[in-house]
Amino acid sequence: GAVVSQHPSRVICKSGTSVKIECRSLDFQATTMFWYRQFPKQSLMLMATSNEGSKATYEQGVEKDKFLINHASLTLSTLTVTSAHPEDSSFYICSARGGWAEAFFGQGTRLTVV
Amino acid sequence: TQLLEQSPQFLSIQEGENLTVYCNSSSVFSSLQWYRQEPGEGPVLLVTVVTGGEVKKLKRLTFQFGDARKDSSLHITAAQPGDTGLYLCAGVGGTASKLTFGTGTRLQVTL
């Protein structure tokens, strides 16, 4: 299958700072990327859907000013958690889809805000 | 909001036993996928079922899509410790073909 790379895999940041997570499709062009959040022992919750060159569509309850998503190219999307707080600590996962139905997932980013 | 309920939430069995995981929804999906996720990693796609009533087999795993395309099941025969993980069903639907993940079933297989 296609490869999606997420970076960093782990990050610890201080409360009040911003953190950027990158999601790259390595061997295909991703027309759509999805960002998910997963709390311990829970399922994945979709945060937003982004299409290359357009604004992301956020799910209900997700603060778009706090979770900034940029999908500037067909191989890269970024999620920036602004003014992070301890309650933002979570496992963030991206997935990317090209011209077919299957979406491929990154390996996830464990964010810890202290 | 489309909800996918999985049962059981947690299952601990011994090697060699059989098990079935259920995924139920009140919504109809164009297709349904099953994933397995290991701790600290992203989910890995196991199968996609598209047609109501469809049955797919992947070695010891058997997947079935309900006739009405609202529910699905995953049956594992002769479970092995390597089957341990979080199993997630995900319904595909909507204009962006978004995935709606189920609540998850955590499987532990011991020797």
Side-chain angles (χ1 to χ4, degrees):
Chain A
V3 179
V4 175
S5 177
Q6 231 178 292
H7 178 80
S9 57
R10 290 177 178 269
V11 58
I12 301 173
C13 71
K14 290 186 177 180
S15 188
T17 62
S18 295
V19 174
K20 181 184 284 188
I21 302 169
E22 292 186 347
C23 179
R24 293 181 185 272
S25 57
L26 298 186
D27 51 3
F28 69 100
Q29 293 185 325
T31 51
T32 307
M33 286 190 172
F34 303 89
W35 286 95
Y36 298 85
R37 183 174 181 175
Q38 185 177 30
F39 289 107
K41 300 188 187 302
Q42 293 189 23
S43 186
L44 280 72
M45 296 297 295
L46 180 64
M47 298 174 67
T49 302
S50 73
N51 293 295
E52 185 265 338
S54 61
K55 289 185 179 180
T57 302
Y58 289 81
E59 294 298 303
Q60 193 173 13
V62 178
E63 298 175 61
K64 61 181 180 181
D65 294 331
K66 180 167 187 61
F67 299 100
L68 300 179
I69 292 172
N70 184 280
H71 192 167
S73 78
L74 284 171
T75 59
L76 174 65
S77 176
T78 59
L79 166 67
T80 301
V81 183
T82 63
S83 187
H85 291 285
E87 56 265 30
D88 298 325
S89 298
S90 190
F91 194 55
Y92 292 88
I93 308 173
C94 72
S95 71
R97 189 175 66 212
W100 51 88
E102 183 178 352
F104 297 91
F105 284 82
Q107 63 267 56
T109 297
R110 170 81 54 199
L111 170 63
T112 304
V113 184
V114 297
Chain B
T1 303
Q2 298 172 314
L3 294 175
L4 280 161
E5 294 284 340
Q6 284 183 238
S7 62
Q9 290 185 345
F10 180 77
L11 193 56
S12 181
I13 61 172
Q14 289 191 318
E15 182 181 21
E17 291 186 37
N18 302 331
L19 67 118
T20 302
V21 177
Y22 299 94
C23 173
N24 294 296
S25 173
S26 57
S27 303
V28 176
F29 294 97
S30 57
S31 62
L32 194 137
Q33 299 179 329
W34 283 92
Y35 292 82
R36 190 174 87 193
Q37 184 183 24
E38 310 240 357
E41 298 181 14
V44 176
L45 179 65
L46 297 174
V47 77
T48 301
V49 285
V50 180
T51 307
E54 182 177 5
V55 177
K56 279 192 175 179
K57 291 193 175 185
L58 185 66
K59 296 184 180 178
R60 294 178 293 102
L61 278 60
T62 302
F63 305 86
Q64 185 164 8
F65 202 11
D67 291 338
R69 305 206 321 274
K70 293 182 180 181
D71 54 83
S72 180
S73 64
L74 157 61
H75 183 80
I76 301 179
T77 303
Q80 298 177 359
D83 296 327
T84 294
L86 176 66
Y87 288 82
L88 296 159
C89 64
V92 183
T95 53
S97 294
K98 295 189 298 185
L99 290 178
T100 301
F101 278 89
T103 47
T105 296
R106 193 165 297 277
L107 172 65
Q108 185 174 47
V109 183
T110 55
L111 293 170

